[in-house]
Amino acid sequence: MDRTAGRAGPWVGWLAFLALALSGCAGTSPPRDAGPASAEEPAFPDPARARPRGGTFVNVDNLRHYAPGLSKEQLYALLGPPHFSEGMWGVREWNYLFNFRSARGQEPFQCQFMVIFDREGIAQQAHWKPQSCSAVLDPPAAPRPRPEAAAALPAQPLRLSADALFGFDSATVTAGGRARIERLLQQVREASQVQDILVVGYADRLGDAAHNLKLSQRRAEAVRQVLIEGGVAPAAIRAEGRGSTQPLADCAKVKARAALIACLAPDRRVEISASADRRG
């Protein structure tokens, strides 16, 4: 292999840069007025004159590094040569025609970008056409965190034994009963963010039906209150008492009273369930 050819690669960029500088001296683009850079609305060149034709796609991260104070050499390293035959010396502006895509697969849109330099070739101003193109420099929006799905209650109600929550014929939650409710608290609190929570008290068939209905209501309200104290929104939770209307135990053959009370224990309960989706 020719060793001279092998060493030529690093000089290619400098040769291109030198060609750009010489093009300014050759007069391919007449120099702008050498006075102070104007803050008036600039006159952009005709996009049809861009070389390469149609402009180029630009690395937006490089473009974000532009700032007043860059030299022409630094701007060249960031964005490449200007697209309208401007040279290096004796010119006060460089013009680019850039292509962007708003999303993958979308048709590209074009923007003209002008940089105005002072006498020493230091960038002072930048302009866009149309002005809305300046938005391409905005930092990308941070992805929105995906909302965590609230924990729905199980399809089957959460059943708590009334015997484990209350004393005999009482609607006051015992210390042990409160601990049992609090073990479910986080699950119910999360579900209450999107659902109506229903607390239902039930009684067995022993004793006076009217009394049992009232007792089951007071027990449901007592459990509801513990949940509210634990952080469940009051508006998200309701309490009902249904007495002995929906028994679970089959104790028809049990005759002895003590055995019957034990057999009917599943009927003495408080159930917690999701009754409706409030998002609907």
Side-chain angles (χ1 to χ4, degrees), residues 4-24 73 76 80-81 86-89:
T4 304
R7 293 195 297 270
W11 294 96
V12 172
W14 288 106
L15 290 174
F17 187 73
L18 180 60
L20 174 66
L22 292 174
S23 69
E73 292 87 350
Y76 183 97
E86 294 99 342
M88 173 62 66
W89 294 296

Side-chain angles (χ1 to χ4, degrees), residues 72-84:
K72 288 180 179 178
E73 292 87 350
Q74 291 170 321
L75 193 64
Y76 183 97
L78 278 177
L79 306 181
H83 298 155
F84 293 86

